Amino acid sequence: MESFESELSERPSKDSSTEKNTPKTRPWVSLIVASSSIFLMTLDLGITAVSLPEIRADFDDSKRQIINWGATSYLVTMTSLLLLFGRLSDRYGRRKLFLIGLSLTTLAVSLAAFTPNPEIFLLARTFQGAGIALLVPTALAMVLSDIPQKHQGAAVGLWGSIGATAGVLGPISSGSLIEFFGWRATFAFLAVLGFIALIAGIRVLNESYLPEASEELNLTTVFSGILSIGLVTLVLLQGNEWGWASTKILILVVTAFLTTWFFWVSCKRSSSPLLDLEVLKNHKYRQVTIAAGFHQIAFFAFFFSSPILLTEIWGWSAIKTGFMIAPSMVLAILVQTPFGMMADRFGYRKLILFGGFIPSLGVVWWLIRVDMEPSYLSAFLPGLLIVSLGGAMVGITTTGAALTVVEQQKLGIANAMHQVARRLGTTMGVALAVGLSSGSDNLKIFENIKILWWLVAITYVLGSVFVWKSEIE
């Protein structure tokens, strides 16, 4: 088992009839269609968060743990398969794998909508994770090379705005659908959107290949890479629930470390590894990708700790808390595209450097003004908007910066590696927020949240330091 032999159909050449028959659509139309990936992924996060209590209530109490594992299975599957699908997209066509991903995602959410029992729901969420893993590394890589370089920052900004829009619509749409039709309607809604995106993708998207690439991947690196990333993700997801010093977590940590070491060594010894070491040797790409991981840790630690403050300390309802945090997402929708245009004009480096330091100002504001007594307009909201502004400056912008410094033929695997760093950062940020935002009483919880805010500020600055040293323009 030395090589990975694909069972996909044989790759056509550049002169193939498949590519000739693919309509040469306007790049911006293709960008909007491809952005259905981030829209569906972000929308699903909001929908699932709101729907999960209703889903658990609809089944027997003894099966509720299986429902909970649906979210874990989805994230572990998605993160662990990113590298493999990024590699395959560069070899067999990003459009082809993107459409397969849309099809699988649509079928998976359809199965979730009509699931007869928790076991089928768990299976559906696992397949949905695989579908999203096909979409994430292929979508932006598929269309970015068709956008003129002077407009690529704006394109990435528009991409981020579409994702932020889904972040706002997710909780609102799911709440309304559950109220009138029940939780199954939320997944049916995702299925309809997925089907529309699939039809649009078939009609307008162009294909891209890497003709020089080998058809073979080393099987050892494939399996060890999937296992390594999956184990690390599982540790981060279950650490708070199982206890970081529990036997299960310690065994997983040791196994993850050994598997990751074996994966790295196998990649260095292989002529065709799952992990593209040549891309990692690109200093600019490596530094920006590390920065993106730090920024994701900081953003999600901030984003998930905010509701804990408003609900646990200030005693607000979940609905009120959602509306009070919504301005941060609305701001992201409004500024992502302009920030992308600024990156085109002034360069990514300046934008990311400033963006990494701005959230620290918002955190300092919170540390000075926010206390245990509710004070939204004069204390919480200004800090929320400042942190969100800086987060929008560095969020999707780091992805654009990373993809502009690698070869066009390796955009799939480069984006996959970048997204693995972002997904692991996201999971770590959530783990930090949940782990630190706890305590025996409200005073202890508030003190822990303030410690978390310091970590958010420091982590944002650390990310910007990596960009500062990256020499990226």
Side-chain angles (χ1 to χ4, degrees):
M1 293 193 2
E2 301 235 344
S3 63
F4 183 87
E5 298 290 345
S6 172
E7 295 181 1
L8 295 172
S9 59
E10 186 176 357
R11 180 193 68 212
S13 66
K14 285 187 175 182
D15 298 327
S16 68
S17 59
T18 301
E19 188 168 356
K20 284 184 179 179
N21 293 332
T22 304
K24 298 297 184 181
T25 57
R26 290 173 297 179
W28 294 96
V29 177
S30 297
L31 176 71
I32 292 174
V33 174
S35 67
S36 61
S37 60
I38 191 173
F39 187 87
L40 288 172
M41 182 179 70
T42 309
L43 188 69
D44 174 79
L45 292 175
I47 282 178
T48 304
V50 176
S51 303
L52 202 57
E54 300 291 331
I55 299 172
R56 285 196 293 255
D58 205 26
F59 293 104
D60 187 78
D61 289 349
S62 62
K63 299 292 185 70
R64 289 188 177 183
Q65 191 61 35
I66 299 177
I67 298 296
N68 293 339
W69 270 100
T72 301
S73 175
Y74 166 83
L75 291 170
V76 170
T77 303
M78 177 189 68
T79 309
S80 62
L81 292 177
L82 284 173
L83 289 184
L84 175 61
F85 292 148
R87 270 293 203 186
L88 294 181
S89 72
D90 284 337
R91 284 160 168 74
Y92 304 105
R94 295 161 192 157
R95 176 182 181 270
K96 182 183 296 180
L97 266 72
F98 177 84
L99 295 178
I100 292 174
L102 268 180
S103 301
L104 182 57
T105 301
T106 303
L107 289 173
V109 293
S110 300
L111 181 61
F114 295 99
T115 182
N117 54 60
E119 290 80 7
I120 298 298
F121 180 79
L122 175 61
L123 183 66
R125 292 295 288 173
T126 302
F127 279 120
Q128 187 182 351
I132 296 296
L134 279 160
L135 295 176
V136 170
T138 57
L140 188 58
M142 175 177 56
V143 298
L144 192 62
S145 58
D146 292 334
I147 304 288
Q149 188 171 3
K150 63 180 180 179
H151 297 309
Q152 286 183 356
V156 173
L158 177 59
W159 184 275
S161 294
I162 292 172
T165 301
V168 174
L169 293 179
I172 297 173
S173 61
S174 59
S176 302
L177 287 170
I178 291 172
E179 180 71 23
F180 291 102
F181 304 106
W183 66 266
R184 295 178 186 272
T186 61
F187 290 98
F189 177 56
L190 286 172
V192 171
L193 294 179
F195 180 76
I196 293 172
L198 179 62
I199 297 302
I202 292 173
R203 292 181 61 87
V204 307
L205 294 176
N206 297 324
E207 188 57 280
S208 58
Y209 294 101
L210 175 54
E212 301 84 1
S214 169
E215 291 283 347
E216 302 177 349
L217 281 177
N218 182 278
L219 263 181
T220 301
T221 63
V222 170
F223 288 126
S224 61
I226 292 173
L227 183 60
S228 168
I229 297 171
L231 286 172
V232 171
T233 307
L234 184 61
V235 167
L236 294 174
L237 288 172
Q238 297 299 124
N240 286 316
E241 182 177 342
W242 291 349
W244 291 102
S246 66
T247 303
K248 287 190 289 187
I249 288 296
L250 292 177
I251 291 174
L252 282 176
V253 168
V254 173
T255 307
F257 175 81
L258 293 175
T259 307
T260 302
W261 173 81
F262 179 76
F263 171 54
W264 178 257
V265 172
S266 299
C267 286
K268 293 181 70 174
R269 293 178 177 177
S270 172
S271 59
S272 185
L274 177 63
L275 188 69
D276 194 320
L277 299 181
E278 290 300 318
V279 174
L280 279 181
K281 289 179 181 178
N282 184 323
H283 178 69
K284 295 179 180 180
Y285 170 84
R286 186 177 64 251
Q287 295 294 102
V288 172
T289 297
I290 294 173
F294 275 103
H295 290 155
Q296 289 293 101
I297 293 172
F299 176 79
F300 280 90
F302 138 76
F303 191 76
F304 276 82
S305 65
S306 299
I308 295 174
L309 170 73
L310 301 185
T311 57
E312 297 289 333
I313 307 300
W314 289 4
W316 289 1
S317 68
I319 295 178
K320 182 177 181 180
T321 296
F323 276 105
M324 294 301 101
I325 294 177
S328 65
M329 299 301 296
V330 175
L331 178 65
I333 295 172
L334 297 175
V335 302
Q336 292 263 25
T337 302
F339 281 155
M341 297 170 68
M342 290 174 62
D344 286 328
R345 183 171 181 180
F346 302 108
Y348 287 102
R349 188 168 182 264
K350 293 179 181 178
L351 196 69
I352 298 174
L353 278 175
F354 284 114
F357 284 93
I358 287 176
S360 301
L361 301 177
V363 170
V364 170
W365 176 273
W366 274 350
L367 290 168
I368 295 173
R369 299 297 304 273
V370 173
D371 55 33
M372 295 182 64
E373 293 298 321
S375 180
Y376 180 76
L377 290 177
S378 62
F380 184 80
L381 182 61
L384 177 72
L385 295 179
I386 294 171
V387 175
S388 300
L389 183 69
M393 291 179 74
V394 302
I396 196 67
T397 311
T398 51
T399 299
L403 297 185
T404 56
V405 297
V406 298
E407 301 173 32
Q408 177 182 334
Q409 294 89 346
K410 294 190 175 184
L411 284 176
I413 184 59
N415 194 23
M417 292 159 60
H418 184 82
Q419 293 301 327
V420 167
R422 292 178 68 90
R423 299 287 79 76
L424 292 178
T426 297
T427 309
M428 192 176 298
V430 175
L432 277 173
V434 175
L436 288 179
S437 301
S438 60
S440 56
D441 52 46
N442 284 354
L443 178 60
K444 184 62 176 177
I445 293 174
F446 183 65
E447 290 175 349
N448 288 340
I449 288 177
K450 292 176 73 173
I451 294 173
L452 181 65
W453 287 345
W454 276 112
L455 290 176
V456 168
I458 293 170
T459 308
Y460 262 121
V461 171
L462 282 175
S464 290
V465 169
F466 277 98
V467 174
W468 173 54
K469 293 188 175 182
S470 69
E471 299 177 356
I472 195 170
E473 295 180 0

